[in-house]
Amino acid sequence: MRIGELAKATGTKAETIRYYEREGVLPAADRTDSNYRDYTDGHLATLTFVRRARELGFSMSQVRELLALSDHDDKPCENVDQLVQRQLVEVKRKIADLSAMRDELAQLLRSCQSDRIGECRIVESLGRRN
Amino acid sequence: MRIGELAKATGTKAETIRYYEREGVLPAADRTDSNYRDYTDGHLATLTFVRRARELGFSMSQVRELLALSDHDDKPCENVDQLVQRQLVEVKRKIADLSAMRDELAQLLRSCQSDRIGECRIVESLGRRN
DNA sequence: GCTTGACCTTGTAGTAGCTACAGGGTCCAT
DNA sequence: ATGGACCCTGTAGCTACTACAAGGTCAAGC
């Protein structure tokens, strides 16, 4: 299949697919006579895997690790488990950070009762004294 | 005050302060005879404002907007309000996205009962068939 | 007076993960 | 043979810093 078809099938831009190839998360495809990339179903599966992992917030290097691990059918999957575990912790941390932001922003909004900047609690709360 | 002092006072690296100057979120300071930047308390207040806004997730261009707005004491602060509102919505959206990620990651972890990659639900769920 | 070390200066390049060209080649239908 | 849709490579841009390199300044200590 050509790059455009693979792109459509996975919701990925062709440029991104080529980028993934350069970054080593998608093996280079064979080329046609006219030098077009020719992808297999294996490529489709791998790209789906990569996109899914990226959607779950794994970094490119983590994706590389996951791919390397998933290539060894017979090895224990405790390492995969660990990567997922670590990512889960990271995501939870981000949620906590954002929740704090959300609360502070909501607090800011509640604090502003005035209508002129000069008396605006928001501007004041952020630390500006003119 | 010199850049190092301002840096320490605000928990910002000197390089970041110079970057903020280039980006127009912190006015250029006067220079001493030896060409060192010489900051005022006004700079300290502005930098505190900028850092706080950045911590709350505002982008640099939003920070620029907030600064521009906060310069007009007599104008209504409804625009400030709107910016905060919009940022709150955005933060909530990110929290929702991350919560979905968290749930999926947790689900992945629960799904993996096997110990070999070949049978690993995690690898399978991500879309890889070898 | 000279050195040492901490500070400051500019300018440039790197980070992550794409995305968007420019400038060119290929292929198929009309 | 011409148009349009696709493909190719290579490079530059995006955000918000961060990290140098190569050099200038200044106060303290000998």
Side-chain angles (χ1 to χ4, degrees), chain A residues 92-108 110, chain B residues 52 55-57 88 91-92 95:
Chain A
K92 283 181 178 171
R93 207 190 47 71
K94 281 184 186 160
I95 290 174
D97 285 357
L98 284 165
S99 298
M101 279 191 203
R102 180 199 53 203
D103 295 347
E104 292 200 61
L105 287 165
Q107 178 58 41
L108 275 188
R110 275 195 303 277
Chain B
R52 186 109 180 72
E55 274 170 25
L56 289 170
L88 180 53
V91 166
K92 283 181 177 169
I95 291 174

PDB file of all heavy atoms in Angstrom, chain A residues 92-108 110, chain B residues 52 55-57 88 91-92 95:
ATOM      1  N   LYS A  92      -0.989  10.574  35.958  1.00  0.00           N
ATOM      2  CA  LYS A  92      -1.658  10.991  37.199  1.00  0.00           C
ATOM      3  C   LYS A  92      -1.050  12.277  37.746  1.00  0.00           C
ATOM      4  O   LYS A  92      -1.759  13.156  38.233  1.00  0.00           O
ATOM      5  CB  LYS A  92      -1.570   9.876  38.248  1.00  0.00           C
ATOM      6  CG  LYS A  92      -2.543   8.747  38.011  1.00  0.00           C
ATOM      7  CD  LYS A  92      -2.413   7.685  39.110  1.00  0.00           C
ATOM      8  CE  LYS A  92      -3.429   6.554  38.912  1.00  0.00           C
ATOM      9  NZ  LYS A  92      -3.168   5.420  39.851  1.00  0.00           N
ATOM     10  N   ARG A  93       0.270  12.380  37.624  1.00  0.00           N
ATOM     11  CA  ARG A  93       0.950  13.589  38.099  1.00  0.00           C
ATOM     12  C   ARG A  93       0.490  14.807  37.295  1.00  0.00           C
ATOM     13  O   ARG A  93       0.207  15.866  37.841  1.00  0.00           O
ATOM     14  CB  ARG A  93       2.469  13.412  37.973  1.00  0.00           C
ATOM     15  CG  ARG A  93       3.300  14.224  38.967  1.00  0.00           C
ATOM     16  CD  ARG A  93       4.785  14.178  38.626  1.00  0.00           C
ATOM     17  NE  ARG A  93       5.047  14.431  37.224  1.00  0.00           N
ATOM     18  CZ  ARG A  93       4.915  15.616  36.630  1.00  0.00           C
ATOM     19  NH1 ARG A  93       4.506  16.657  37.324  1.00  0.00           N
ATOM     20  NH2 ARG A  93       5.183  15.739  35.343  1.00  0.00           N
ATOM     21  N   LYS A  94       0.380  14.615  35.976  1.00  0.00           N
ATOM     22  CA  LYS A  94      -0.066  15.721  35.122  1.00  0.00           C
ATOM     23  C   LYS A  94      -1.492  16.124  35.467  1.00  0.00           C
ATOM     24  O   LYS A  94      -1.825  17.313  35.473  1.00  0.00           O
ATOM     25  CB  LYS A  94       0.024  15.317  33.653  1.00  0.00           C
ATOM     26  CG  LYS A  94       1.434  15.406  33.098  1.00  0.00           C
ATOM     27  CD  LYS A  94       1.475  15.101  31.608  1.00  0.00           C
ATOM     28  CE  LYS A  94       2.922  15.045  31.110  1.00  0.00           C
ATOM     29  NZ  LYS A  94       3.054  14.313  29.838  1.00  0.00           N
ATOM     30  N   ILE A  95      -2.326  15.131  35.735  1.00  0.00           N
ATOM     31  CA  ILE A  95      -3.703  15.433  36.108  1.00  0.00           C
ATOM     32  C   ILE A  95      -3.727  16.253  37.392  1.00  0.00           C
ATOM     33  O   ILE A  95      -4.462  17.238  37.507  1.00  0.00           O
ATOM     34  CB  ILE A  95      -4.527  14.136  36.275  1.00  0.00           C
ATOM     35  CG1 ILE A  95      -4.747  13.465  34.912  1.00  0.00           C
ATOM     36  CG2 ILE A  95      -5.875  14.437  36.928  1.00  0.00           C
ATOM     37  CD1 ILE A  95      -5.425  12.108  34.992  1.00  0.00           C
ATOM     38  N   ALA A  96      -2.886  15.866  38.339  1.00  0.00           N
ATOM     39  CA  ALA A  96      -2.832  16.596  39.603  1.00  0.00           C
ATOM     40  C   ALA A  96      -2.410  18.047  39.367  1.00  0.00           C
ATOM     41  O   ALA A  96      -3.018  18.983  39.901  1.00  0.00           O
ATOM     42  CB  ALA A  96      -1.872  15.901  40.560  1.00  0.00           C
ATOM     43  N   ASP A  97      -1.365  18.233  38.541  1.00  0.00           N
ATOM     44  CA  ASP A  97      -0.890  19.588  38.226  1.00  0.00           C
ATOM     45  C   ASP A  97      -1.999  20.412  37.592  1.00  0.00           C
ATOM     46  O   ASP A  97      -2.250  21.562  37.967  1.00  0.00           O
ATOM     47  CB  ASP A  97       0.297  19.538  37.263  1.00  0.00           C
ATOM     48  CG  ASP A  97       1.579  19.096  37.964  1.00  0.00           C
ATOM     49  OD1 ASP A  97       1.551  18.895  39.196  1.00  0.00           O
ATOM     50  OD2 ASP A  97       2.602  18.943  37.283  1.00  0.00           O
ATOM     51  N   LEU A  98      -2.660  19.818  36.619  1.00  0.00           N
ATOM     52  CA  LEU A  98      -3.701  20.538  35.902  1.00  0.00           C
ATOM     53  C   LEU A  98      -4.898  20.820  36.808  1.00  0.00           C
ATOM     54  O   LEU A  98      -5.554  21.860  36.676  1.00  0.00           O
ATOM     55  CB  LEU A  98      -4.136  19.740  34.663  1.00  0.00           C
ATOM     56  CG  LEU A  98      -3.158  19.803  33.498  1.00  0.00           C
ATOM     57  CD1 LEU A  98      -3.462  18.722  32.469  1.00  0.00           C
ATOM     58  CD2 LEU A  98      -3.192  21.179  32.822  1.00  0.00           C
ATOM     59  N   SER A  99      -5.171  19.925  37.700  1.00  0.00           N
ATOM     60  CA  SER A  99      -6.285  20.143  38.624  1.00  0.00           C
ATOM     61  C   SER A  99      -5.993  21.340  39.525  1.00  0.00           C
ATOM     62  O   SER A  99      -6.887  22.149  39.814  1.00  0.00           O
ATOM     63  CB  SER A  99      -6.531  18.893  39.462  1.00  0.00           C
ATOM     64  OG  SER A  99      -6.885  17.814  38.631  1.00  0.00           O
ATOM     65  N   ALA A 100      -4.742  21.450  39.934  1.00  0.00           N
ATOM     66  CA  ALA A 100      -4.355  22.609  40.741  1.00  0.00           C
ATOM     67  C   ALA A 100      -4.535  23.889  39.927  1.00  0.00           C
ATOM     68  O   ALA A 100      -5.066  24.890  40.421  1.00  0.00           O
ATOM     69  CB  ALA A 100      -2.906  22.458  41.199  1.00  0.00           C
ATOM     70  N   MET A 101      -4.100  23.850  38.670  1.00  0.00           N
ATOM     71  CA  MET A 101      -4.291  25.001  37.770  1.00  0.00           C
ATOM     72  C   MET A 101      -5.760  25.350  37.661  1.00  0.00           C
ATOM     73  O   MET A 101      -6.151  26.513  37.770  1.00  0.00           O
ATOM     74  CB  MET A 101      -3.832  24.638  36.352  1.00  0.00           C
ATOM     75  CG  MET A 101      -2.359  24.724  36.113  1.00  0.00           C
ATOM     76  SD  MET A 101      -2.137  24.577  34.319  1.00  0.00           S
ATOM     77  CE  MET A 101      -0.470  24.003  34.256  1.00  0.00           C
ATOM     78  N   ARG A 102      -6.555  24.331  37.419  1.00  0.00           N
ATOM     79  CA  ARG A 102      -7.996  24.540  37.243  1.00  0.00           C
ATOM     80  C   ARG A 102      -8.584  25.235  38.459  1.00  0.00           C
ATOM     81  O   ARG A 102      -9.325  26.209  38.345  1.00  0.00           O
ATOM     82  CB  ARG A 102      -8.689  23.183  37.036  1.00  0.00           C
ATOM     83  CG  ARG A 102     -10.189  23.264  36.852  1.00  0.00           C
ATOM     84  CD  ARG A 102     -10.837  21.913  37.114  1.00  0.00           C
ATOM     85  NE  ARG A 102     -10.413  21.402  38.429  1.00  0.00           N
ATOM     86  CZ  ARG A 102     -10.421  20.122  38.779  1.00  0.00           C
ATOM     87  NH1 ARG A 102     -10.830  19.198  37.930  1.00  0.00           N
ATOM     88  NH2 ARG A 102     -10.009  19.759  39.975  1.00  0.00           N
ATOM     89  N   ASP A 103      -8.210  24.751  39.647  1.00  0.00           N
ATOM     90  CA  ASP A 103      -8.741  25.336  40.872  1.00  0.00           C
ATOM     91  C   ASP A 103      -8.311  26.787  41.034  1.00  0.00           C
ATOM     92  O   ASP A 103      -9.102  27.642  41.439  1.00  0.00           O
ATOM     93  CB  ASP A 103      -8.293  24.512  42.081  1.00  0.00           C
ATOM     94  CG  ASP A 103      -8.876  23.100  42.051  1.00  0.00           C
ATOM     95  OD1 ASP A 103      -9.810  22.863  41.249  1.00  0.00           O
ATOM     96  OD2 ASP A 103      -8.405  22.239  42.810  1.00  0.00           O
ATOM     97  N   GLU A 104      -7.055  27.048  40.683  1.00  0.00           N
ATOM     98  CA  GLU A 104      -6.568  28.424  40.835  1.00  0.00           C
ATOM     99  C   GLU A 104      -7.242  29.362  39.841  1.00  0.00           C
ATOM    100  O   GLU A 104      -7.557  30.503  40.158  1.00  0.00           O
ATOM    101  CB  GLU A 104      -5.051  28.470  40.653  1.00  0.00           C
ATOM    102  CG  GLU A 104      -4.323  27.773  41.787  1.00  0.00           C
ATOM    103  CD  GLU A 104      -2.872  28.222  41.873  1.00  0.00           C
ATOM    104  OE1 GLU A 104      -2.629  29.422  42.082  1.00  0.00           O
ATOM    105  OE2 GLU A 104      -1.979  27.362  41.694  1.00  0.00           O
ATOM    106  N   LEU A 105      -7.452  28.856  38.638  1.00  0.00           N
ATOM    107  CA  LEU A 105      -8.117  29.677  37.620  1.00  0.00           C
ATOM    108  C   LEU A 105      -9.556  29.972  38.042  1.00  0.00           C
ATOM    109  O   LEU A 105     -10.037  31.101  37.916  1.00  0.00           O
ATOM    110  CB  LEU A 105      -8.087  28.965  36.261  1.00  0.00           C
ATOM    111  CG  LEU A 105      -6.726  28.941  35.568  1.00  0.00           C
ATOM    112  CD1 LEU A 105      -6.710  27.928  34.428  1.00  0.00           C
ATOM    113  CD2 LEU A 105      -6.360  30.333  35.042  1.00  0.00           C
ATOM    114  N   ALA A 106     -10.226  28.952  38.563  1.00  0.00           N
ATOM    115  CA  ALA A 106     -11.607  29.128  39.010  1.00  0.00           C
ATOM    116  C   ALA A 106     -11.657  30.147  40.145  1.00  0.00           C
ATOM    117  O   ALA A 106     -12.534  31.019  40.189  1.00  0.00           O
ATOM    118  CB  ALA A 106     -12.183  27.786  39.454  1.00  0.00           C
ATOM    119  N   GLN A 107     -10.673  30.056  41.032  1.00  0.00           N
ATOM    120  CA  GLN A 107     -10.576  30.986  42.142  1.00  0.00           C
ATOM    121  C   GLN A 107     -10.384  32.423  41.640  1.00  0.00           C
ATOM    122  O   GLN A 107     -11.021  33.353  42.115  1.00  0.00           O
ATOM    123  CB  GLN A 107      -9.405  30.570  43.046  1.00  0.00           C
ATOM    124  CG  GLN A 107      -9.144  31.481  44.224  1.00  0.00           C
ATOM    125  CD  GLN A 107     -10.371  31.608  45.111  1.00  0.00           C
ATOM    126  OE1 GLN A 107     -11.070  30.634  45.359  1.00  0.00           O
ATOM    127  NE2 GLN A 107     -10.671  32.828  45.563  1.00  0.00           N
ATOM    128  N   LEU A 108      -9.523  32.556  40.633  1.00  0.00           N
ATOM    129  CA  LEU A 108      -9.295  33.871  40.033  1.00  0.00           C
ATOM    130  C   LEU A 108     -10.598  34.459  39.513  1.00  0.00           C
ATOM    131  O   LEU A 108     -10.933  35.613  39.761  1.00  0.00           O
ATOM    132  CB  LEU A 108      -8.316  33.762  38.857  1.00  0.00           C
ATOM    133  CG  LEU A 108      -6.829  33.808  39.145  1.00  0.00           C
ATOM    134  CD1 LEU A 108      -6.056  33.877  37.836  1.00  0.00           C
ATOM    135  CD2 LEU A 108      -6.475  34.998  40.023  1.00  0.00           C
ATOM    136  N   ARG A 110     -13.650  33.780  40.346  1.00  0.00           N
ATOM    137  CA  ARG A 110     -14.566  34.129  41.432  1.00  0.00           C
ATOM    138  C   ARG A 110     -14.148  35.434  42.096  1.00  0.00           C
ATOM    139  O   ARG A 110     -14.979  36.192  42.568  1.00  0.00           O
ATOM    140  CB  ARG A 110     -14.589  33.023  42.479  1.00  0.00           C
ATOM    141  CG  ARG A 110     -15.559  31.900  42.157  1.00  0.00           C
ATOM    142  CD  ARG A 110     -15.824  31.032  43.388  1.00  0.00           C
ATOM    143  NE  ARG A 110     -14.595  30.462  43.942  1.00  0.00           N
ATOM    144  CZ  ARG A 110     -14.016  29.350  43.485  1.00  0.00           C
ATOM    145  NH1 ARG A 110     -14.544  28.687  42.481  1.00  0.00           N
ATOM    146  NH2 ARG A 110     -12.924  28.898  44.052  1.00  0.00           N
TER     147      ARG A 110
ATOM    148  N   ARG B  52       3.807  33.495  36.992  1.00  0.00           N
ATOM    149  CA  ARG B  52       2.558  32.993  37.556  1.00  0.00           C
ATOM    150  C   ARG B  52       1.586  32.614  36.435  1.00  0.00           C
ATOM    151  O   ARG B  52       0.969  31.553  36.461  1.00  0.00           O
ATOM    152  CB  ARG B  52       1.973  34.090  38.444  1.00  0.00           C
ATOM    153  CG  ARG B  52       0.782  33.720  39.207  1.00  0.00           C
ATOM    154  CD  ARG B  52       1.065  33.598  40.701  1.00  0.00           C
ATOM    155  NE  ARG B  52      -0.175  33.233  41.365  1.00  0.00           N
ATOM    156  CZ  ARG B  52      -0.715  32.024  41.267  1.00  0.00           C
ATOM    157  NH1 ARG B  52      -0.090  31.087  40.610  1.00  0.00           N
ATOM    158  NH2 ARG B  52      -1.862  31.767  41.852  1.00  0.00           N
ATOM    159  N   GLU B  55       2.754  29.493  34.860  1.00  0.00           N
ATOM    160  CA  GLU B  55       2.447  28.352  35.720  1.00  0.00           C
ATOM    161  C   GLU B  55       0.986  27.939  35.575  1.00  0.00           C
ATOM    162  O   GLU B  55       0.653  26.766  35.731  1.00  0.00           O
ATOM    163  CB  GLU B  55       2.716  28.693  37.185  1.00  0.00           C
ATOM    164  CG  GLU B  55       4.145  28.473  37.626  1.00  0.00           C
ATOM    165  CD  GLU B  55       4.406  29.067  39.011  1.00  0.00           C
ATOM    166  OE1 GLU B  55       3.442  29.204  39.802  1.00  0.00           O
ATOM    167  OE2 GLU B  55       5.560  29.422  39.288  1.00  0.00           O
ATOM    168  N   LEU B  56       0.149  28.918  35.321  1.00  0.00           N
ATOM    169  CA  LEU B  56      -1.280  28.617  35.165  1.00  0.00           C
ATOM    170  C   LEU B  56      -1.583  28.127  33.755  1.00  0.00           C
ATOM    171  O   LEU B  56      -2.734  27.892  33.400  1.00  0.00           O
ATOM    172  CB  LEU B  56      -2.124  29.852  35.509  1.00  0.00           C
ATOM    173  CG  LEU B  56      -2.149  30.189  37.001  1.00  0.00           C
ATOM    174  CD1 LEU B  56      -2.795  31.547  37.239  1.00  0.00           C
ATOM    175  CD2 LEU B  56      -2.875  29.104  37.795  1.00  0.00           C
ATOM    176  N   GLY B  57      -0.559  27.979  32.953  1.00  0.00           N
ATOM    177  CA  GLY B  57      -0.723  27.366  31.644  1.00  0.00           C
ATOM    178  C   GLY B  57      -0.990  28.329  30.504  1.00  0.00           C
ATOM    179  O   GLY B  57      -1.234  27.897  29.377  1.00  0.00           O
ATOM    180  N   LEU B  88      -9.335  28.297  31.487  1.00  0.00           N
ATOM    181  CA  LEU B  88      -9.964  27.321  32.382  1.00  0.00           C
ATOM    182  C   LEU B  88     -10.594  26.194  31.572  1.00  0.00           C
ATOM    183  O   LEU B  88     -10.432  25.004  31.888  1.00  0.00           O
ATOM    184  CB  LEU B  88     -11.025  28.028  33.238  1.00  0.00           C
ATOM    185  CG  LEU B  88     -11.784  27.165  34.248  1.00  0.00           C
ATOM    186  CD1 LEU B  88     -10.838  26.392  35.154  1.00  0.00           C
ATOM    187  CD2 LEU B  88     -12.738  28.020  35.081  1.00  0.00           C
ATOM    188  N   VAL B  91      -7.845  23.972  30.210  1.00  0.00           N
ATOM    189  CA  VAL B  91      -7.262  23.127  31.260  1.00  0.00           C
ATOM    190  C   VAL B  91      -8.209  21.967  31.568  1.00  0.00           C
ATOM    191  O   VAL B  91      -7.782  20.821  31.706  1.00  0.00           O
ATOM    192  CB  VAL B  91      -6.964  23.952  32.533  1.00  0.00           C
ATOM    193  CG1 VAL B  91      -6.700  23.043  33.721  1.00  0.00           C
ATOM    194  CG2 VAL B  91      -5.768  24.862  32.301  1.00  0.00           C
ATOM    195  N   LYS B  92      -9.486  22.270  31.607  1.00  0.00           N
ATOM    196  CA  LYS B  92     -10.465  21.204  31.878  1.00  0.00           C
ATOM    197  C   LYS B  92     -10.448  20.163  30.771  1.00  0.00           C
ATOM    198  O   LYS B  92     -10.566  18.965  31.027  1.00  0.00           O
ATOM    199  CB  LYS B  92     -11.873  21.790  32.019  1.00  0.00           C
ATOM    200  CG  LYS B  92     -12.120  22.465  33.359  1.00  0.00           C
ATOM    201  CD  LYS B  92     -13.549  23.012  33.451  1.00  0.00           C
ATOM    202  CE  LYS B  92     -13.824  23.634  34.812  1.00  0.00           C
ATOM    203  NZ  LYS B  92     -15.114  24.388  34.827  1.00  0.00           N
ATOM    204  N   ILE B  95      -7.494  17.973  31.252  1.00  0.00           N
ATOM    205  CA  ILE B  95      -7.729  17.036  32.363  1.00  0.00           C
ATOM    206  C   ILE B  95      -8.592  15.875  31.883  1.00  0.00           C
ATOM    207  O   ILE B  95      -8.312  14.712  32.195  1.00  0.00           O
ATOM    208  CB  ILE B  95      -8.406  17.748  33.558  1.00  0.00           C
ATOM    209  CG1 ILE B  95      -7.418  18.723  34.206  1.00  0.00           C
ATOM    210  CG2 ILE B  95      -8.894  16.731  34.582  1.00  0.00           C
ATOM    211  CD1 ILE B  95      -8.013  19.586  35.304  1.00  0.00           C
TER     212      ILE B  95
END
